[in-house]
Structures are given as C-alpha cells and as structure tokens.
Amino acid sequence: MKLIIAAIKPFKLEEVREALTAIGVRGMMVTEIKGFGSQSGHTEIYRGAEYAVNFVPKVKLEIVVNAAMADQVVETIQKTAKTDKIGDGKIFVLDVNQAVRVRTGETNDDAL
C-alpha cells in the first residue's frame, strides 16, 4: 500500500476529487494548510499598507491506495491540479505498513 500526500491549490480540490473518483479512488483526507516553497510567499496591499504573505494557502490530500494504483493516482493528481503557474504544489509517495478499518477490523487492502 502507498500513502500519497499532495499539496495543491485550493480551487483545484473539487476537480481533483472528481478525477480521482473517476479512476476508482474510494476515499481521501483533506486538510487546509499553509506553506511555501520556491514561491516564498508574496506581498499584498490592504487598506493602503503593504504586508508580506509568507505562507500561501494550500489543500493537503492524503490518499492510501494499493501499490499497483499509486502511479495512476499520482499522474491523475498531477494532470488535474496543474495550472502551469508557480505554486501548483507537490506530491509525495510513502510506503504504508498497515491499515485497519476501525468498524470491522479489516486490515490492509481489505481496509481500503
């Protein structure tokens, strides 16, 4: 099993969710986050005063899938979340040693 963590632009969330559902992803966790990468934030003007926005709003997706499906999920997120502008996000893929469905006690692939 693989854990796929993706940080994407918030306005792309629904489009990414629909694309992942279409390829068979049955669940994901979504968290609103703030962060920075090469973009390093930006400056804005509010009521005539300029101030630095050091952290940019993002959405973090956490998806656990069987290993055979991981590449397809990564490719789908990458294609769907892409805007060709700086700050499109990052995707990380990690190994998952164990998964348990709390309600039934099912484990690993059966728990997904």
Side-chain angles (χ1 to χ4, degrees):
M1 293 178 298
K2 299 290 184 178
L3 168 62
I4 299 165
I5 302 171
I8 63 171
K9 291 182 175 183
F11 69 88
K12 284 293 200 171
L13 175 61
E14 191 58 27
E15 191 178 343
V16 170
R17 185 198 62 77
E18 288 173 4
L20 291 173
T21 301
I23 65 165
V25 172
R26 294 178 28 193
M28 69 179 74
M29 295 176 279
V30 178
T31 311
E32 292 181 10
I33 61 171
K34 292 182 180 182
F36 73 91
S38 4
Q39 194 173 3
S40 299
H42 60 281
T43 59
E44 289 186 3
I45 298 176
Y46 179 71
R47 295 189 175 182
E50 186 174 312
Y51 66 97
V53 178
N54 294 320
F55 293 97
V56 180
K58 299 284 182 193
V59 174
K60 179 171 77 170
L61 309 177
E62 296 175 271
I63 306 159
V64 179
V65 295
N66 63 39
M69 193 175 183
D71 288 339
Q72 184 182 15
V73 170
V74 168
E75 183 179 313
T76 299
I77 295 169
Q78 184 179 4
K79 282 195 297 190
T80 310
K82 184 177 181 177
T83 67
D84 285 324
K85 293 185 172 68
I86 194 164
D88 274 352
K90 294 270 193 301
I91 302 172
F92 304 98
V93 181
L94 294 81
D95 290 324
V96 173
N97 294 326
Q98 183 179 12
V100 178
R101 185 184 309 264
V102 173
R103 179 177 54 87
T104 62
E106 293 170 295
T107 59
N108 301 326
D109 283 342
D110 293 334
L112 303 179

